[in-house]
């Protein structure tokens, strides 16, 4: 490869690396958080000593939602999302920098879209969900508290936007690979 196509290829590879890191970490967080609450229930089923002390029996949804174990799991999820969103802001900045240097318009659009979603998640939805979730900690669910419907709605929006972000990142990776292939095939050497 001559110097110019070689530099272009390096820039596109750097973009692909940042996008792959962001995408991989997104999948990891979705798996960790998605398994946390079911993990509490599973732990109670599998550990008799825990089951005798945790404050609820498997299948007792009302007692489970007001137990210390459930509230601690919720708080850990809040901390995980807060840290993850800060990390995503850094990844979005790095991806934006790389996309601008790589010159892939499609990747740049995907990165910008994902970045906007991260701003919404970080500065609007996560704080709202955290505040509302804490107000529901230890609150009995029978009858369902009035704030529960809003909490579930915000949670659904957050999940939808997180999945939209993942799709935008996949699109950006595709454009990055596509432009990397074009650079390599254009180089006669």
């Amino acid at each position: 490869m001559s110097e110019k196509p070689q530099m272009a290829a390096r820039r596109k590879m750097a973009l692909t690396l940042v996008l792959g890191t962001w995408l991989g970490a997104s999948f990891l967080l979705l798996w960790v958080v998605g398994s946390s609450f079911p993990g509490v229930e599973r732990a109670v089923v599998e550990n008799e000593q825990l089951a005798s002390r945790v404050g609820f029996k498997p299948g007792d949804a009302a007692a489970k939602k007001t137990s210390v174990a459930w509230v601690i799991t919720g708080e850990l999820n809040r901390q995980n999302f807060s840290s993850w969103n800060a990390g995503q802001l850094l990844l979005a900045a790095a991806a934006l920098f790389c996309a601008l240097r790589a010159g892939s318009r499609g990747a740049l659009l995907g990165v910008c879209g994902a970045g906007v979603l991260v701003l919404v998640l970080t500065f609007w939805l996560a704080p709202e969900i955290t505040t509302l979730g804490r107000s529901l900690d230890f609150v009995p669910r029978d009858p369902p508290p009035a704030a529960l419907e809003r909490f579930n709605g915000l949670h659904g929006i957050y999940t939808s936007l997180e999945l939209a972000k993942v799709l935008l990142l996949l699109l950006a990776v595709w454009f990055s690979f596509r432009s990397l292939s074009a650079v390599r095939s254009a180089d006669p050497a």
Side-chain angles (χ1 to χ4, degrees), residues 139-157:
V139 175
R141 297 299 197 266
D142 192 20
L148 187 59
E149 186 176 337
R150 177 162 165 73
F151 176 82
N152 289 336
L154 290 173
H155 200 271
I157 292 168

Side-chain angles (χ1 to χ4, degrees), residues 80-135:
N80 286 338
F81 275 109
S82 177
S83 297
W84 169 235
N85 286 336
Q88 284 197 103
L89 291 171
L90 294 174
L91 285 165
L96 180 59
F97 175 79
C98 290
L100 287 168
R101 291 186 45 114
S104 172
R105 176 187 256 164
L108 179 61
L109 290 173
V111 166
C112 287
V116 167
L117 291 179
V118 168
L119 290 170
V120 170
L121 295 172
T122 303
F123 296 110
W124 174 57
L125 276 170
E128 283 284 320
I129 291 170
T130 295
T131 300
L132 205 49
R134 285 182 178 148
S135 77

Side-chain angles (χ1 to χ4, degrees), residues 38-120:
V40 170
E41 180 89 24
R42 197 169 43 255
V44 170
V45 168
E46 294 174 2
N47 184 331
E48 290 179 22
Q49 287 184 330
L50 179 61
S52 69
R53 292 185 172 97
V54 76
F56 69 92
K57 294 187 182 337
D60 185 352
K64 177 175 58 180
K65 299 280 182 160
T66 60
S67 72
V68 171
W70 196 264
V71 171
I72 287 172
T73 302
E75 194 59 38
L76 289 173
N77 279 350
R78 293 173 196 130
Q79 291 174 18
N80 286 338
F81 275 109
S82 177
S83 297
W84 169 235
N85 286 336
Q88 284 197 103
L89 291 171
L90 294 174
L91 285 165
L96 180 59
F97 175 79
C98 290
L100 287 168
R101 291 186 45 114
S104 172
R105 176 187 256 164
L108 179 61
L109 290 173
V111 166
C112 287
V116 167
L117 291 179
V118 168
L119 290 170
V120 170

